[in-house]
Amino acid sequence: MRILMIGHKYVPSREGGVEIVVENLATRMASLGNEVLIFNRKRKDYPQINEYKNCKVENIFTINKKSLDAVVYAFFATLKARKLIKKKQIDVVHFHAEGPCLFLNLLPKKRKTKIVVTIHGLDWQRGKWGGFASWILKRAEKKAVKYADEIIVLSKNNQEYFKNKYQRKTTYIPNGVEKAYLHEAEIIKNEYNLEKDSYILFLARIVPEKGLDYLIEAWKKVRNEITTNKKLVIAGGDSHSTEYYQSIIEKVKNDDSIILTGFVEGQKLQELYSNAYLYVLPSDIEGMPMSLLEALSYGNVCLVSNIPENTEVINENCFVFEKGNIDRLRHQLKKIINLKIKTHEDMIIPYTWEEVTNKTLDIYRGK
């Protein structure tokens, strides 16, 4: 099959969950003999490439500005897809996330090409977008419902949403995760003086909907109530939320119990997962959190907000608290620190990328 991927920022990248999903699907599909084309965004801060792991890559024009980047890319990517469809050069166009679906109505109505959309979460709910941007994202969601041949959702909660609001049938295919291998604390020991079980880890994009404000406030209360040598490590970069990221820096700058690492990848990322005492994800909104899946694959004990997208994937060794309830988060953190739990014993892989790839290919084939 000839497959086109649209909607991410850049491959290869760990900038967000969409990028991880596109990279894993595209490269695995290519390894199975499919012709895969990836539309990266053409930006100054992204190296321009033409090939990646047997996938062809085209760099699509955009404007490097928060308010215009995604919509400009989506417009030109959709126009390019339209040309390929008209020339019968593509069998499947797979859009990722709601925003890139804004121009689906521009695609040919009479076509043999299948249009597939993966909903990575209800993007219009995310705190980083203002009122007008949220309205645009809701329009894009409706375009996906109207024009997509197939819609894939990552959570049962989102599946119910599309059924109840639009009476639209969707297919539930969760994100995958690779088998993890534990690493001793080397880089993180040298850079941050971190050792096994010496810290609590938050690892995600630094954006409002991840609930980091709750965690910082709850952590400071815990530190006032009990004596502990543990640190809170906040790992992640901003995603169109520079002002919010700066506000987090201001909140933690005078607290030596909090370490802000910035964006991490490679061995440093692996070491952070491998040696954390507890992984915390206090999100208000998720699609299906890649960082939580990865934390589970490393055997982390996890503490998460009780939104369905989180509770669908955790196991019996994990803890929950009421979304947005700082006092309950404080209570759970304090309890878990005092429990002296054993970590990294049960390395859970809920879904493999091979399973996810095969299920997605079945959607392409109409099975």
Side-chain angles (χ1 to χ4, degrees):
M1 272 186 294
R2 299 166 299 177
I3 302 160
L4 170 60
M5 298 285 182
I6 294 177
H8 59 289
K9 296 182 180 73
Y10 184 82
V11 166
S13 170
R14 285 190 56 90
E15 189 167 338
V18 177
E19 287 69 40
I20 295 172
V21 171
V22 171
E23 178 179 347
N24 278 281
L25 287 180
T27 55
R28 282 170 168 77
M29 289 176 180
S31 71
L32 294 172
N34 298 287
E35 296 179 23
V36 182
L37 175 60
I38 301 172
F39 278 0
N40 277 354
R41 300 187 193 183
K42 187 178 182 180
R43 286 177 28 174
K44 292 180 180 179
D45 49 336
Y46 296 156
Q48 291 187 39
I49 59 175
N50 298 310
E51 188 270 341
Y52 179 70
K53 292 187 177 180
N54 297 317
C55 299
K56 293 182 179 178
V57 179
E58 288 196 28
N59 303 286
I60 303 300
F61 174 80
T62 187
I63 296 175
N64 193 7
K65 188 176 180 182
K66 174 185 173 180
S67 59
L68 297 173
D69 179 19
V71 70
V72 171
Y73 161 82
F75 176 72
F76 286 106
T78 306
L79 286 185
K80 180 69 174 178
R82 179 182 179 180
K83 291 180 181 178
L84 295 174
I85 292 171
K86 284 189 171 183
K87 292 180 179 178
K88 299 180 180 179
Q89 293 177 342
I90 208 80
D91 299 311
V92 177
V93 181
H94 193 157
F95 286 80
H96 290 266
E98 291 187 330
C101 299
L102 184 61
F103 303 105
L104 283 185
N105 57 298
L106 299 180
L107 298 178
K109 304 299 185 293
K110 295 182 179 180
R111 61 176 189 267
K112 291 186 177 180
T113 302
K114 180 169 282 190
I115 307 302
V116 178
V117 171
T118 292
I119 302 296
H120 289 256
L122 305 180
D123 293 336
W124 50 269
Q125 293 182 341
R126 300 188 190 278
K128 65 181 179 180
W129 303 120
F132 180 69
S134 294
W135 180 81
I136 291 290
L137 289 166
K138 287 180 181 178
R139 293 278 298 171
E141 179 179 284
K142 291 176 181 177
K143 296 281 184 75
V145 169
K146 183 174 182 179
Y147 294 105
D149 297 306
E150 299 285 350
I151 295 179
I152 297 169
V153 293
L154 306 182
S155 72
K156 297 286 188 181
N157 192 46
N158 281 178
Q159 191 170 42
E160 283 298 307
Y161 169 81
F162 279 91
K163 179 182 177 182
N164 294 334
K165 185 172 180 63
Y166 300 107
Q167 294 74 54
R168 176 67 200 248
K169 178 181 175 292
T170 59
T171 302
Y172 169 62
I173 305 179
N175 285 335
V177 68
E178 295 188 49
K179 180 178 173 59
Y181 297 91
L182 296 177
H183 293 252
E184 292 186 4
E186 297 176 355
I187 296 174
I188 62 173
K189 170 67 174 175
N190 292 332
E191 290 194 23
Y192 311 114
N193 198 32
L194 295 173
E195 299 176 335
K196 189 177 187 311
D197 293 340
S198 68
Y199 59 95
I200 290 166
L201 177 64
F202 170 94
L203 195 155
R205 290 176 298 120
I206 310 299
V207 291
E209 66 266 19
K210 295 295 183 182
L212 185 52
D213 290 296
Y214 311 142
L215 179 57
I216 292 170
E217 188 171 343
W219 174 252
K220 289 182 176 182
K221 290 182 177 181
V222 169
R223 291 275 299 177
N224 287 332
E225 294 174 13
I226 63 172
T227 300
T228 177
N229 293 323
K230 295 194 188 304
K231 305 285 187 180
L232 172 61
V233 175
I234 299 171
D238 73 280
S239 177
H240 293 304
S241 298
T242 305
E243 290 182 11
Y244 178 73
Y245 190 84
Q246 290 300 318
S247 75
I248 294 298
I249 292 174
E250 286 297 313
K251 279 188 176 183
V252 307
K253 67 179 182 181
N254 295 320
D255 192 331
D256 61 6
S257 74
I258 301 177
I259 298 171
L260 196 63
T261 69
F263 176 75
V264 294
E265 58 184 343
Q267 186 175 336
K268 186 187 291 187
L269 173 80
Q270 294 162 350
E271 289 184 17
L272 284 171
Y273 277 133
S274 297
N275 296 282
Y277 177 73
L278 176 71
Y279 173 82
V280 185
L281 188 64
S283 311
D284 287 327
I285 302 164
E286 287 289 353
M288 187 180 212
M290 282 301 311
S291 59
L292 177 56
L293 290 174
E294 290 175 341
L296 289 169
S297 76
Y298 279 87
N300 281 280
V301 175
C302 300
L303 169 60
V304 301
S305 58
N306 64 345
I307 61 174
E309 292 81 0
N310 286 341
T311 58
E312 282 177 18
V313 297
I314 59 174
N315 60 22
E316 65 276 7
N317 296 324
C318 296
F319 299 82
V320 298
F321 72 97
E322 182 185 8
K323 179 189 79 170
N325 190 326
I326 294 170
D327 188 61
R328 292 307 300 170
L329 176 54
R330 173 203 58 80
H331 172 81
Q332 292 289 61
L333 285 169
K334 184 178 174 180
K335 179 177 78 172
I336 296 165
I337 290 171
N338 288 329
L339 281 175
K340 297 180 173 58
I341 54 176
K342 292 183 178 180
T343 61
H344 306 285
E345 292 190 333
D346 298 316
M347 299 172 73
I348 305 298
I349 301 179
Y351 318 99
T352 68
W353 279 117
E354 286 71 23
E355 292 171 324
V356 172
T357 300
N358 289 330
K359 288 181 179 180
T360 305
L361 287 170
D362 284 343
I363 292 290
Y364 293 174
R365 298 183 185 113
K367 292 185 178 181

